[in-house]
Amino acid sequence: MNGTLYLCATPIGNLGDVSARCLEILNSVDLIAAEDTRRTLQLLNHFNISKPLTSYHEHNKREKGEYIINLLKQGKNVAQVSDAGTPAISDPGEDLVKLCIENDITVTSVPGPVAGINALILSGLSTARYAFEGFLSVNKRHRKEHLAGVKNDTCTLIFYEAPHKLRTTLSDMRDAFGADRKIALARELTKVHEEVLRLTLDEAVKYYEETTPRGEYVIVVEGAKEPEAEASWWEGLSIAEHIEKYISGGMDSKEAIKQTASDRGIPKREVYNEYHKI
Ligand code: SAM
């Protein structure tokens, strides 16, 4: 029988956020596949867990993916951990999940921290609808195309960013979304120096002209304003005036009543009664 792949979420800064179930699974599997073995080793040492550890990251995911699938097919259980947070969110875990599905191997999750969701709930922006945009490309043209493609989205947007690219990204966002668009910049979440700045894009660009970006960032961007509904030509007219307009345009009264009722989204009988003052 095949083994199971466990996607184990680990802390994004504060070791106290690891779940009891995550520790239990890490303690029970045959192998832990880690994006960053050094970082995972710190976590394992802190909780006195001693298990075989292998690296699985962007640059070895093809060969390592096959190796892990073979172990799973031999009935071994494997835990996958990201360098921080939830595997498969902006990390190569996504590919391993696809491989398992293709090979009929059970995948299950041990949920926990996700930087983007924590930034969203602290942002003060709408949480009703949001889109996770991940990292922008380092390629200038692709980055601009990405931003242009989402500038009219009305949901809240969540981006990940590294400190050395923050200034360029904020400036590109100001060009694409406009100076007044609100954002929240969340950094060092769950750590001692956690900070959430709530600014406009223009304020953020200016702030980071004076301040050196430090730590990992999540940028949460307010969605575009909903386009305002166009005012109807008949607004401000009484029902009788509305009908008369159609009649003066050549409609007979029956047609005019029907059209007026449809424009206003009210029953024909109501329009008829009002017109004839019944
Ligand atoms: N899988 C992770 C998750 O669940 O959020 C994300 C991994 S991604 C490679 C790393 C990015 O997540 C960082 O560049 C940063 O944008 C964000 N991030 C991770 N930890 C963070 C923290 N403590 N505070 C703010 N952002 C963080």
Side-chain angles (χ1 to χ4, degrees):
M1 206 175 105
N2 289 339
T4 296
L5 178 74
Y6 293 88
L7 301 175
C8 292
T10 53
I12 55 171
N14 189 325
L15 288 183
D17 292 335
V18 75
S19 75
R21 186 162 160 248
C22 178
L23 295 178
E24 193 187 305
I25 297 291
L26 293 177
N27 246 320
S28 72
V29 290
D30 301 293
L31 177 73
I32 300 172
E35 189 183 9
D36 179 340
T37 47
R38 273 189 314 177
R39 204 158 165 181
T40 301
L41 204 52
Q42 283 170 5
L43 177 84
L44 299 180
N45 287 342
H46 184 86
F47 290 103
N48 290 322
I49 297 173
S50 171
K51 280 284 161 181
L53 193 61
T54 192
S55 68
Y56 175 82
H57 51 64
E58 198 51 46
H59 307 291
N60 71 0
K61 64 184 182 186
R62 202 178 290 250
E63 322 82 77
K64 263 307 164 60
E66 271 178 40
Y67 168 75
I68 293 169
I69 292 292
N70 276 332
L71 287 179
L72 287 158
K73 282 186 169 168
Q74 289 163 30
K76 307 279 185 213
N77 292 320
V78 178
Q80 205 223 335
V81 295
S82 174
D83 66 344
T86 296
I89 299 296
S90 282
D91 83 1
E94 178 185 343
D95 298 83
L96 195 53
V97 172
K98 284 184 189 148
L99 265 184
C100 284
I101 294 167
E102 281 165 21
N103 285 278
D104 269 333
I105 290 162
T106 304
V107 186
T108 188
S109 70
V110 182
V114 186
I117 294 297
N118 280 280
L120 173 70
I121 62 173
L122 295 173
S123 69
L125 299 172
S126 170
T127 59
R129 287 174 52 240
Y130 57 87
F132 177 66
E133 299 295 328
F135 287 98
L136 288 168
S137 169
V138 285
N139 175 294
K140 194 172 174 164
R141 185 167 64 83
H142 291 164
R143 206 166 58 232
K144 295 210 167 194
E145 280 170 2
H146 186 159
L147 293 173
V150 296
K151 75 171 185 184
N152 294 322
D153 288 2
T154 53
C155 59
T156 304
L157 304 171
I158 303 170
F159 295 88
Y160 281 171
E161 198 48 285
H164 64 282
K165 291 194 284 161
L166 186 77
R167 285 179 170 139
T168 314
T169 295
L170 289 175
S171 161
D172 288 349
M173 284 183 170
R174 182 177 61 178
D175 293 346
F177 301 145
D180 296 332
R181 187 84 76 98
K182 286 186 195 158
I183 63 162
L185 280 160
R187 67 177 196 100
E188 301 287 86
L189 290 170
T190 75
K191 302 183 194 174
V192 179
H193 298 293
E194 175 175 294
E195 179 184 62
V196 183
L197 295 176
R198 300 172 186 90
L199 305 164
T200 64
L201 273 167
D202 196 47
E203 288 166 343
V205 168
K206 289 182 177 144
Y207 178 84
Y208 281 106
E209 277 166 9
E210 310 286 323
T211 312
T212 307
R214 284 206 178 85
E216 304 284 13
Y217 284 84
V218 181
I219 310 171
V220 187
V221 181
E222 179 187 38
K225 298 265 175 286
E226 295 279 354
E228 281 188 22
E230 267 183 43
S232 309
W233 64 265
W234 46 263
E235 265 168 36
L237 298 185
S238 68
I239 287 182
E241 287 166 339
H242 192 163
I243 294 169
E244 292 298 344
K245 273 271 179 212
Y246 280 129
I247 292 175
S248 65
M251 278 189 192
D252 64 26
S253 63
K254 199 172 159 203
E255 261 182 293
I257 287 171
K258 189 172 162 201
Q259 188 56 51
T260 300
S262 146
D263 288 349
R264 293 180 178 242
I266 56 176
K268 253 190 317 187
R269 170 65 43 200
E270 198 179 308
V271 176
Y272 180 91
N273 289 350
E274 175 65 24
Y275 188 53
H276 294 287
K277 286 284 181 224
I278 293 170

